[in-house]
């Protein structure tokens, strides 16, 4: 049974919802591996889960197959109090699946079976409910890959901009998905960045999109594209935050990292949780001190996710985060 939308749903996350099958056989590729762990996946779903786990209101808009995997994903989000009333179902196409194994040398064996999420159209979008949101987040690991979802995605960002929504964008570059299509990735990412109020990138994504290695110069380039606020996550070093007039590196907290899966999504979710509770969200870019506080909080959430295995499973609650700020 779907969770219904809240009277106050400040954040709607749009994008893929899929199953990640992780090979649990140590140092085995996908030919040799025989045991797999099933997990809910998809960057925007992870962002949604983070917001809900922190006590915020978040809704998810995406598409799954009407199959056991789709129902599993719905139940997973429901268990975290994420609103799933905008989840679209495809009776003919299966839920998207990803199979991953990790080698001791750090190499990754990856097979992707694209399914229902790729077929999301504007007809699957509940614009009346989406227009209740203060923030729309677009986390695009797969959304920009193919039609019709790519066009739906960009159309929805443009529509949200016209409606005056606060737009958050994370390009979520995955090398395995964009092999041979890097120019396409850069072109589409730039279109979304031009319309975004908050852009989160890794240092790798910053260099890919701008062609610039220097972080501060690269950030300036994203601002010139149209981004109002830019956050560059730098792992254990912290996050470089900029509002175009000021930049500062906000340090992370010291941890013993076990698994960094989902840390970037948790960072975004924590940032949006704080932004959703900001009285005048459109003017937040002018309050750099408040931005620094928000990013420090998000750094702690992202770091704590790295201390446990999994993405959604490792999410901390607000009490755990408060302990780290003492």
């Amino acid at each position: 049974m779907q969770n219904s939308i809240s009277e106050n749903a400040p954040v709607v996350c749009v994008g893929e919802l899929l199953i990640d099958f992780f090979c649990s056989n140590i140092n085995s590729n996908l030919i040799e591996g025989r045991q797999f762990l099933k997990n809910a996946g998809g960057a925007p779903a992870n962002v949604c889960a983070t917001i809900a786990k922190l006590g915020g209101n978040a809704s998810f808009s995406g598409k799954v197959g009407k199959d056991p995997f789709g129902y599993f994903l719905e139940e997973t989000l429901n268990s975290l109090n994420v609103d799933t009333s905008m989840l679209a179902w495809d009776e003919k196409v299966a839920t998207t699946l990803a199979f991953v194994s990790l080698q001791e040398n750090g190499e990754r064996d990856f097979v992707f079976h694209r399914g229902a999420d790729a077929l999301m159209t504007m007809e699957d979008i509940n614009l009346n409910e989406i227009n209740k949101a203060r923030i729309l987040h677009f986390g695009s690991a797969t959304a920009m890959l193919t039609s019709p979802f790519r066009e739906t995605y960009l159309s929805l960002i443009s529509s949200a901009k016209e409606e005056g929504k606060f737009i958050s964008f994370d390009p979520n570059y995955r090398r395995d998905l964009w092999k041979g299509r890097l120019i396409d990735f850069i072109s589409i990412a730039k279109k979304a960045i031009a319309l975004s109020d908050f852009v989160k990138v890794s240092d790798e994504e910053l260099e890919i999109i701008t062609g610039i290695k220097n972080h501060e110069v690269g950030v300036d380039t994203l601002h010139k594209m149209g981004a109002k606020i830019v956050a560059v996550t730098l792992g254990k070093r912290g996050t470089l935050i900029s509002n175009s007039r000021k930049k500062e590196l906000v340090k992370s907290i010291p941890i013993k990292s076990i698994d960094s899966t989902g840390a970037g999504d948790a960072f975004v979710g924590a940032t949006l949780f704080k932004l959703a509770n900001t009285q005048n969200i459109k003017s937040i870019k002018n309050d750099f001190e408040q931005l620094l506080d928000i990013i420090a909080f998000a750094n702690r959430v992202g770091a704590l996710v790295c201390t446990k295995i999994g993405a959604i499973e490792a999410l901390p609650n607000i009490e755990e985060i408060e302990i780290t700020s003492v």
Side-chain angles (χ1 to χ4, degrees), residues 1-7 58-59 78 81-86:
M1 182 178 178
Q2 295 178 331
N3 282 348
S4 60
I5 197 163
S6 165
E7 289 297 319
S59 305
N78 280 343
N81 294 319
V82 170
D83 160 40
T84 55
S85 65
M86 289 189 284

Side-chain angles (χ1 to χ4, degrees), residues 86-145:
M86 289 189 284
L87 189 61
W89 299 83
D90 196 308
E91 297 190 4
K92 297 181 179 179
V93 181
T95 299
T96 298
L97 308 176
F99 296 84
V100 185
S101 69
L102 296 175
Q103 311 294 302
E104 286 182 352
N105 62 2
E107 290 299 313
R108 190 169 79 152
D109 205 6
F110 178 87
V111 172
F112 188 62
H113 290 282
R114 192 78 189 274
D117 80 290
L119 302 177
M120 193 165 180
T121 68
M122 287 301 290
E123 292 180 358
D124 296 311
I125 306 288
N126 189 331
L127 289 176
N128 288 331
E129 296 295 355
I130 278 184
N131 285 336
K132 295 178 182 179
R134 295 190 74 198
I135 299 171
L136 281 178
H137 172 67
F138 299 86
S140 65
T142 68
M144 302 189 303
L145 281 170

Side-chain angles (χ1 to χ4, degrees), residues 16 26 40 85 91 136 166 169 185 233 238 260 271 283:
E16 80 275 7
I26 298 174
S85 65
E91 297 190 4
L136 281 178
F166 187 95
F169 176 65
F185 169 79
T233 50
S260 62
T271 301
S283 66

Side-chain angles (χ1 to χ4, degrees), residues 166 197 228-229 242-245 280-288 291:
F166 187 95
D197 296 284
K228 304 298 187 297
I229 302 167
S242 172
N243 67 351
S244 79
R245 292 185 295 278
N280 192 345
I281 192 170
K282 281 292 185 177
S283 66
I284 186 66
K285 69 182 181 68
N286 299 320
D287 190 340
F288 196 67
L291 270 180

Side-chain angles (χ1 to χ4, degrees), residues 11-317:
V11 187
V12 174
C13 301
V14 183
E16 80 275 7
L17 180 59
L18 51 84
I19 300 288
D20 282 320
F21 282 104
F22 292 100
C23 183
S24 59
N25 299 114
I26 298 174
N27 201 31
S28 294
N29 59 31
L30 292 178
I31 297 174
E32 300 160 345
R34 293 183 176 274
Q35 295 178 316
F36 293 84
L37 299 175
K38 179 182 71 176
N39 289 298
N46 292 339
V47 172
C48 249
T50 303
I51 296 167
K53 188 70 180 285
L54 295 173
N57 294 321
S59 305
F60 179 80
S61 180
K63 195 169 192 177
V64 295
K66 205 164 190 178
D67 54 31
F69 294 131
Y71 289 119
F72 166 77
L73 292 168
E74 179 193 39
E75 289 177 3
T76 300
L77 293 183
N78 280 343
S79 70
L80 295 163
N81 294 319
V82 170
D83 160 40
T84 55
S85 65
M86 289 189 284
L87 189 61
W89 299 83
D90 196 308
E91 297 190 4
K92 297 181 179 179
V93 181
T95 299
T96 298
L97 308 176
F99 296 84
V100 185
S101 69
L102 296 175
Q103 311 294 302
E104 286 182 352
N105 62 2
E107 290 299 313
R108 190 169 79 152
D109 205 6
F110 178 87
V111 172
F112 188 62
H113 290 282
R114 192 78 189 274
D117 80 290
L119 302 177
M120 193 165 180
T121 68
M122 287 301 290
E123 292 180 358
D124 296 311
I125 306 288
N126 189 331
L127 289 176
N128 288 331
E129 296 295 355
I130 278 184
N131 285 336
K132 295 178 182 179
R134 295 190 74 198
I135 299 171
L136 281 178
H137 172 67
F138 299 86
S140 65
T142 68
M144 302 189 303
L145 281 170
T146 58
S147 300
F149 196 13
R150 179 171 57 205
E151 284 73 22
T152 302
Y153 204 73
L154 293 173
S155 294
L156 190 54
I157 294 177
S158 296
S159 173
K161 185 72 173 180
E162 291 174 3
E163 291 291 327
K165 302 299 180 184
F166 187 95
I167 299 172
S168 166
F169 176 65
D170 180 355
N172 262 302
Y173 174 71
R174 297 290 182 270
R175 185 177 290 105
D176 298 295
L177 297 176
W178 288 95
K179 286 179 180 177
R181 298 182 55 198
L182 191 58
I183 293 175
D184 287 344
F185 169 79
I186 295 170
S187 174
I188 301 168
K190 285 181 177 180
K191 290 179 182 178
I193 289 168
L195 300 173
S196 297
D197 296 284
F198 173 72
V199 174
K200 176 267 177 190
V201 289
S202 67
D203 52 350
E204 178 191 21
E205 290 161 347
L206 180 66
E207 184 176 347
I208 288 171
I209 294 169
T210 66
I212 299 168
K213 288 188 177 182
N214 181 282
H215 295 156
E216 295 201 358
V217 178
V219 165
D220 289 339
T221 301
L222 293 188
H223 284 306
K224 289 176 183 177
M225 290 178 191
K228 304 298 187 297
I229 302 167
V230 176
V232 184
T233 50
L234 302 170
K236 65 181 181 181
R237 289 177 55 200
T239 301
L240 177 64
I241 184 70
S242 172
N243 67 351
S244 79
R245 292 185 295 278
K246 293 182 180 180
K247 300 183 187 71
E248 188 166 323
L249 178 66
V250 182
K251 293 183 179 180
S252 188
I253 59 173
I255 57 158
K256 181 179 180 181
S257 180
I258 296 175
D259 179 15
S260 62
T261 302
D265 299 329
F267 170 88
V268 173
T271 301
L272 299 185
F273 167 74
K274 285 290 191 178
L275 287 173
N277 290 296
T278 301
Q279 188 171 6
N280 192 345
I281 192 170
K282 281 292 185 177
S283 66
I284 186 66
K285 69 182 181 68
N286 299 320
D287 190 340
F288 196 67
E289 290 304 314
Q290 188 174 4
L291 270 180
L292 293 179
D293 289 341
I294 289 171
I295 297 305
F297 174 83
N299 277 350
R300 293 198 298 273
V301 175
L304 288 172
V305 166
C306 295
T307 64
K308 299 176 184 177
I309 295 174
I312 290 177
E313 297 81 3
L315 289 172
N317 56 38

